[in-house]
Amino acid sequence: MPAVNITLQPRLDAALAQPAGTDPSVDHAIQAIIAGAQLGQTCNTDLAAGPWDFDARPGYGPGSSMGDVIPTGSPRQGELPREYREASEAELAERIRAAKATLGDRVVVLGHFYQREEVVVHADYVGDSFQLANAALEHPDAEAIVFCGVHFMAETADLLSRPDQAVILPNLAAGCSMADMADIDQVEDCWEQLAEIYGDMDAVDADGLVPVVPVTYMNSSAAIKGFVGRHGGIVCTSSNARTVLEWAFQRGRRVLFFPDQHLGRNTAKAMGVPLEQMPMWNPRKPLGGASADDLAEARVILWHGFCSVHRRFSVDQIEKARAEHPGVRVIVHPECPMEVVDAADEAGSTDYIRKAIEAATEPNTFAIGTEVNLVQRLAADHPQHTIFCLDPVVCPCSTMYRIHPGYLAWVLEGLVEGDVRNRITVPQDVADPARVALERMLAAKPPAAPATAWENAS
């Protein structure tokens, strides 16, 4: 492959509003900002380094989650061989293409929307976590599924794929700080404390409802999905959270929603649940920090978790975008705080955001509140629009950014040699109930009109 020619265009501010023909790579933008070749600001200059520089260190790495506390015992990635660390971008791209060509249909490469451009270009499918898990199902004859995402996504792919298919995560250190905010011990302890308040958690009342139905976001570990499956609960995505909550309310007086408080709050609020009936559960406090009266009146108990990417967005950023771009259309992800969702024009999943821009027939200006790699790519793919990230500081998802072409080349060339590297497997005793929770989600069909977005009248 010839060397990639990069045209770095100066911008008036740090927001990633892109003129036509600019480079979609966030990594290139970060390198240029740190080198002084491009105006802008990043949240950490270490983003310019290779992720292997952080593999031996505890923590999520530079980026949005760098301030989050990583659980003890979280997976670490072993040292990447020097030949991959020192290879150029062009060399790695050529090695990845050659390995894929040799493997053919034996391998499927999946790339999440939030992956860096240098990885996405090699993916056979690009989408959100559940779309990609389903994409893997379309290739039952593939020997290996290489999931360029984070750990819980690879686990979900393993749950849904055939037992003899190997699911591979190129960098074991690519976890998820939100998913880590609800571990199985904390959730089990929460359930026991709630049983002291509500009594037998399996008992139905006169209306045929149990006290609590657990609902977990897809962004959770397989162990949490297994817990939900064992206790009559269900999994949701950001696209179908409303449908899933409706399913849960048909079966229980209240919902325990984890790990993302913001998706739970925004979805339930849009359904008419009052905020005073949505107490927070902090696992480090007795009764989650709520009172017994609060829990008795609760409709949705929100776990004290969040996405550090989406917590960066603010009402001030929206007001600034509106002041500088009259008529701007503001779309944010429902993992954003409630006040940000309320101030936006629309809120929806990553797929909703992508489709909203694709459906715009006239040139428009979009301010987007979600992970910067997706925003940058959308801006490059739709030069007829002005598209920029609400957050003016370039701060990608710390853990998604741990997947680098060097790791992708390493695992693919390992497969060529017959060596399966970084395989992710879910134990059978966890996998069986987790699949039950996923199957319930698949059976809970949304209405014909999409319920994936809130359009705010203003």
Side-chain angles (χ1 to χ4, degrees):
M1 174 182 177
V4 178
N5 294 317
I6 304 169
T7 302
L8 297 168
Q9 304 210 12
R11 299 189 175 96
L12 296 179
D13 57 36
L16 293 176
Q18 295 215 11
T22 54
D23 182 3
S25 169
V26 170
D27 181 55
H28 294 165
I30 289 170
Q31 300 289 342
I33 289 169
I34 291 174
Q38 179 174 317
L39 297 177
Q41 181 182 357
T42 71
C43 59
N44 192 319
T45 56
D46 283 344
L47 287 164
W52 42 82
D53 285 356
F54 312 100
D55 285 344
R57 307 181 197 174
Y60 294 105
S64 59
S65 297
M66 57 194 170
D68 296 337
V69 178
I70 194 167
T72 302
S74 294
R76 300 275 190 92
Q77 175 62 43
E79 186 177 46
L80 185 69
R82 177 180 294 180
E83 63 179 293
Y84 299 99
R85 302 196 308 267
E86 297 182 351
S88 68
E89 181 181 314
E91 180 186 348
L92 289 172
E94 179 57 36
R95 292 176 71 161
I96 290 167
R97 281 198 299 270
K100 286 191 67 183
T102 300
L103 293 164
D105 293 340
R106 293 169 53 203
V107 67
V108 175
V109 177
L110 309 178
H112 192 272
F113 283 133
Y114 297 164
Q115 281 296 304
R116 61 175 80 207
E117 182 68 12
E118 294 77 11
V119 168
V120 163
V121 294
H122 300 291
D124 299 304
Y125 295 89
V126 180
D128 64 24
S129 59
F130 195 65
Q131 288 172 330
L132 293 176
N134 277 322
L137 297 178
E138 297 179 11
H139 293 270
D141 296 330
E143 297 173 16
I145 300 163
V146 178
F147 209 124
C148 298
V150 295
H151 197 272
F152 77 80
M153 299 177 187
E155 285 186 327
T156 303
D158 184 62
L159 290 171
L160 297 177
S161 61
R162 288 197 340 263
D164 58 325
Q165 288 181 298
V167 176
I168 293 169
L169 183 65
N171 185 340
L172 294 179
C176 173
S177 60
M178 181 211 289
D180 289 341
M181 289 176 189
D183 70 38
I184 187 60
D185 291 336
Q186 292 173 332
V187 171
E188 294 277 9
D189 181 62
C190 168
W191 197 251
E192 291 176 4
Q193 292 186 61
L194 291 179
E196 294 176 3
I197 299 291
Y198 302 129
D200 184 354
M201 300 290 262
D202 296 320
V204 297
D205 61 17
D207 295 320
L209 303 177
V210 296
V212 185
V213 173
V215 175
T216 188
Y217 191 19
M218 182 67 73
N219 300 32
S220 59
S221 69
I224 298 297
K225 293 182 178 75
F227 170 90
V228 166
R230 291 193 307 273
H231 292 282
I234 188 170
V235 178
C236 79
T237 70
S238 55
S239 296
N240 69 5
R242 181 176 186 133
T243 298
V244 166
L245 283 186
E246 289 169 348
W247 180 97
F249 284 138
Q250 291 170 1
R251 291 159 175 79
R253 284 288 169 197
R254 54 192 65 80
V255 167
L256 172 61
F257 190 96
F258 43 84
D260 182 35
Q261 58 172 294
H262 300 299
L263 178 62
R265 182 181 297 107
N266 289 324
T267 305
K269 178 172 177 279
M271 295 170 66
V273 178
L275 293 178
E276 57 269 22
Q277 293 184 354
M278 290 191 269
M280 184 84 71
W281 185 279
N282 186 329
R284 289 172 289 279
K285 297 181 179 179
L287 287 185
S291 70
D293 288 343
D294 290 338
L295 293 171
E297 297 298 320
R299 289 282 283 152
V300 179
I301 303 166
L302 299 168
W303 195 265
H304 194 275
F306 53 84
C307 169
S308 291
V309 169
H310 292 103
R311 197 173 64 160
R312 292 183 60 85
F313 300 111
S314 68
V315 174
D316 286 347
Q317 291 169 357
I318 293 176
E319 291 174 348
K320 183 174 186 290
R322 294 198 192 283
E324 296 180 355
H325 304 272
V328 66
R329 185 175 169 186
V330 180
I331 310 178
V332 302
H333 195 282
E335 290 177 17
C336 292
M338 179 184 69
E339 59 272 15
V340 175
V341 169
D342 289 346
D345 297 306
E346 301 158 68
S349 66
T350 50
D351 197 47
Y352 175 88
I353 293 169
R354 180 182 63 82
K355 288 178 178 177
I357 291 173
E358 289 178 350
T361 56
E362 298 297 325
N364 205 340
T365 300
F366 293 91
I368 305 298
T370 195
E371 210 277 344
V372 66
N373 278 280
L374 174 61
V375 180
Q376 186 92 331
R377 193 173 304 118
L378 289 171
D381 290 345
H382 301 278
Q384 73 275 25
H385 301 306
T386 298
I387 301 172
F388 60 94
C389 188
L390 272 173
D391 185 2
V393 178
V394 183
C395 195
C397 173
S398 303
T399 52
M400 288 282 186
Y401 221 59
R402 300 295 283 263
I403 306 294
H404 182 279
Y407 295 100
L408 180 56
W410 174 65
V411 296
L412 288 173
E413 291 185 341
L415 289 173
V416 170
E417 298 165 4
D419 183 12
V420 178
R421 297 164 175 163
N422 288 11
R423 182 170 185 173
I424 302 298
T425 57
V426 179
Q428 199 63 38
D429 61 331
V430 172
D432 288 342
R435 289 191 193 98
V436 170
L438 288 167
E439 288 164 0
R440 288 176 183 144
M441 183 187 77
L442 292 173
K445 301 296 183 184
T452 58
W454 299 269
E455 187 170 348
N456 301 315
S458 58

